[in-house]
Amino acid sequence: MNIFVIGHGGHSKVVADIIRTYNEYQIVGYLDNKYEEVQIINDEFCGPIRAARQLIENFTDVKFIIAIGDNKNRKSIVEELSLTFEYYTTLIHPLACISPTAKIGHGTVVMPYAVINADAVIGNHCIINSCSVIEHDSRLEDFVHLCPNSTIAGTVKIREGSCVGSGATIIPNKTIGEWTMIGAGATVIDHLPDNCLAVGTPARVKMNKKVNAG
């Protein structure tokens, strides 16, 4: 399978490492708006994100993965390209532990040593980072980002676009609103509203406004 990685920064290096664990996958290039036109660099196609549709016509069995940490940017790219789900691959590192009853959406990346337990549901274009834990019956909507070592207890709901910082914990049965940012090391013991920043132990809302959740 030919894969184009959308994004060519630090996060794309981690995603590329996961792709290389699959013998049947081959990275054929990177799409990033730092490139003005399609070109060959180190035997790989590199070009602007808008070139994705052109490349679909030139390659057989081609898939894309968005390797950009910022949740709003990932959503913007998905909307810009308007590709059907069949063109996005889902990447799961072989050292991740995934329950057979968990469900994982299109375009989502699961990093090494992540744990996704029974009947958890992960949306499309999410990032489940290294050593993060998602317990039973939790639900993550589209474009959610879990940073390394975050812990999501059972029956938690995280709505679209929210980000859980490194080492943060959400206790069971809580709901996190849309496009909310939970700071590193925070402990969430209450429901959180949309579009807020919550930090500390226990977590307290510091601001209520739209934030970039990357």
Side-chain angles (χ1 to χ4, degrees):
M1 180 186 298
N2 295 312
I3 294 183
F4 278 94
V5 178
I6 299 177
H8 205 181
H11 187 60
S12 72
K13 296 177 183 178
V14 182
V15 171
D17 279 349
I18 297 176
I19 295 171
R20 294 186 187 106
T21 67
Y22 290 83
N23 292 330
E24 68 270 28
Y25 287 1
Q26 178 182 2
I27 299 172
V28 289
Y30 294 84
L31 301 180
D32 193 292
N33 286 338
K34 67 184 178 183
Y35 303 112
E36 295 184 359
E37 59 185 8
V38 176
Q39 53 193 294
I40 305 296
I41 301 176
N42 297 326
D43 296 323
E44 293 174 329
F45 287 83
C46 295
I49 293 172
R50 67 176 183 275
R53 287 193 169 275
Q54 171 191 342
L55 294 167
I56 289 172
E57 298 174 359
N58 295 336
F59 286 85
T60 58
D61 194 25
V62 64
K63 299 279 188 179
F64 298 90
I65 190 72
I66 303 177
I68 294 174
D70 184 276
N71 297 345
K72 289 184 181 293
N73 284 346
R74 286 202 310 286
K75 183 174 183 180
S76 177
I77 290 167
V78 168
E79 292 175 342
E80 174 189 350
L81 294 180
S82 296
L83 299 176
T84 57
F85 283 139
E86 66 182 292
Y87 286 109
Y88 290 107
T89 190
T90 297
L91 296 177
I92 300 174
H93 195 282
L95 294 178
C97 181
I98 313 296
S99 167
T101 61
K103 297 179 181 179
I104 300 174
H106 300 275
T108 286
V109 179
V110 182
M111 304 291 185
Y113 304 107
V115 176
I116 303 177
N117 273 328
D119 292 321
V121 178
I122 314 300
N124 303 309
H125 302 288
C126 293
I127 298 171
I128 311 303
N129 226 309
S130 306
C131 299
S132 54
V133 175
I134 303 170
E135 272 298 344
H136 64 90
D137 299 296
S138 287
R139 180 179 180 87
L140 279 59
E141 295 185 354
D142 298 346
F143 306 106
V144 166
H145 185 165
L146 301 188
C147 295
N149 291 297
S150 54
T151 300
I152 311 303
T155 325
V156 167
K157 183 174 183 180
I158 303 179
R159 299 191 65 198
E160 179 179 295
S162 288
C163 179
V164 181
S166 297
T169 298
I170 304 173
I171 70 168
N173 305 310
K174 300 306 173 188
T175 296
I176 309 303
E178 296 181 352
W179 302 102
T180 280
M181 178 75 179
I182 297 170
T187 302
V188 178
I189 63 172
D190 295 305
H191 303 300
L192 293 178
D194 297 345
N195 301 312
C196 78
L197 170 65
V199 299
T201 299
R204 296 284 184 255
V205 174
K206 301 297 288 185
M207 63 178 70
N208 264 84
K209 67 176 185 178
K210 290 187 177 180
V211 295
N212 286 329

